[in-house]
Amino acid sequence: MSPFTRRVLFFLFFLSGFSSLVYQVVWTRMAFASFGIITPVLSVVLSVFMLGLAVGSWAGGRWVPALTRKSGISAAFFYGGAELVIGLGAFAVPKLFAVGERLMLASGETDSFGYLSLSALVLAASILPWCVCMGATFPFMMAYIRERDCGNTESFSFLYLANVLGAMSGTFLAAVVLVELLGFHHTLWLAAASNFTIALISGCL
């Protein structure tokens, strides 16, 4: 790959890591607001987030060779599609949280176990699909790199560095700056704009 292409991919994965951790920070705070500031809520959000990344990484790595071979479409297209879907989560998750909160209120009084079980189910259903797409971005992009340079052995560490730096920036800025200045929804919209930008650039690769 050319140095320019490497810089573009680094930028894309920086943005991807940034938006993913912005989502995690904001979704956690929104979950606290909807379901209570308690340790089980935090544990569920973090567990579902990591589960989604693991499932997405496994499924993406397993399916992307067949997807590109049968469709004849570059893996960059599927990568951009995953980022597009992640961006839609910025608008869907708050609505799903609100629906889940209303359902729990309608269910009436329940014991602690019932409340925690129902809230965990709502949280998992609300955020898992988007986290799966986040996990799929790595194998999709690695498949694209193999299309361009099958002998490349350093791209995973290169992309991982970009993703980690973006994630660190997203965590810090979301917690300290963005939520305070923009609020939950506008911060999510900013993260979604990053995902949509990635999707647009990926379509030009």
Side-chain angles (χ1 to χ4, degrees):
M1 290 186 297
S2 67
F4 175 76
T5 301
R6 287 176 62 87
R7 286 194 290 268
V8 170
L9 298 186
F10 189 94
F11 173 70
L12 294 183
F13 256 70
F14 179 90
L15 279 185
S16 182
F18 171 84
S19 63
S20 295
L21 267 294
V22 168
Y23 290 135
Q24 186 186 60
V25 170
V26 176
W27 289 347
T28 299
R29 293 193 179 189
M30 293 183 78
F32 283 161
S34 296
F35 306 106
I37 307 176
I38 51 178
T39 301
V41 170
L42 175 62
S43 299
V44 169
V45 172
L46 295 180
S47 298
V48 172
F49 195 87
M50 299 306 294
L51 174 64
L53 294 181
V55 171
S57 181
W58 172 80
R62 184 178 180 86
W63 293 338
V64 70
L67 288 173
T68 55
R69 184 175 61 254
K70 292 179 179 179
S71 66
I73 299 174
S74 171
F77 174 84
F78 297 105
Y79 171 72
E83 292 287 354
L84 180 63
V85 173
I86 294 167
L88 297 177
F91 305 94
V93 170
K95 296 183 182 299
L96 292 171
F97 278 1
V99 170
E101 187 177 7
R102 288 196 296 269
L103 289 175
M104 293 181 66
L105 289 173
S107 67
E109 185 176 351
T110 183
D111 57 22
S112 296
F113 179 78
Y115 176 82
L116 292 175
S117 299
L118 185 56
S119 61
L121 182 61
V122 169
L123 287 169
S126 299
I127 68 176
L128 183 60
W130 326 107
C131 296
V132 170
C133 290
M134 292 177 194
T137 57
F138 261 109
F140 286 172
M141 182 52 73
M142 287 301 299
Y144 169 72
I145 291 173
R146 285 192 293 270
E147 291 175 6
R148 297 289 301 271
D149 182 6
C150 61
N152 192 311
T153 60
E154 300 178 352
S155 294
F156 179 81
S157 58
F158 169 73
L159 295 178
Y160 191 74
L161 172 64
N163 201 251
V164 169
L165 291 176
M168 291 170 58
S169 301
T171 302
F172 177 78
L173 291 176
V176 178
V177 179
L178 296 177
V179 171
E180 299 299 325
L181 292 179
L182 304 177
F184 289 152
H185 291 281
H186 287 89
T187 299
L188 290 176
W189 296 351
L190 177 64
S194 298
N195 295 122
F196 297 152
T197 299
I198 296 169
L200 181 63
I201 297 174
S202 298
C204 301
L205 291 175

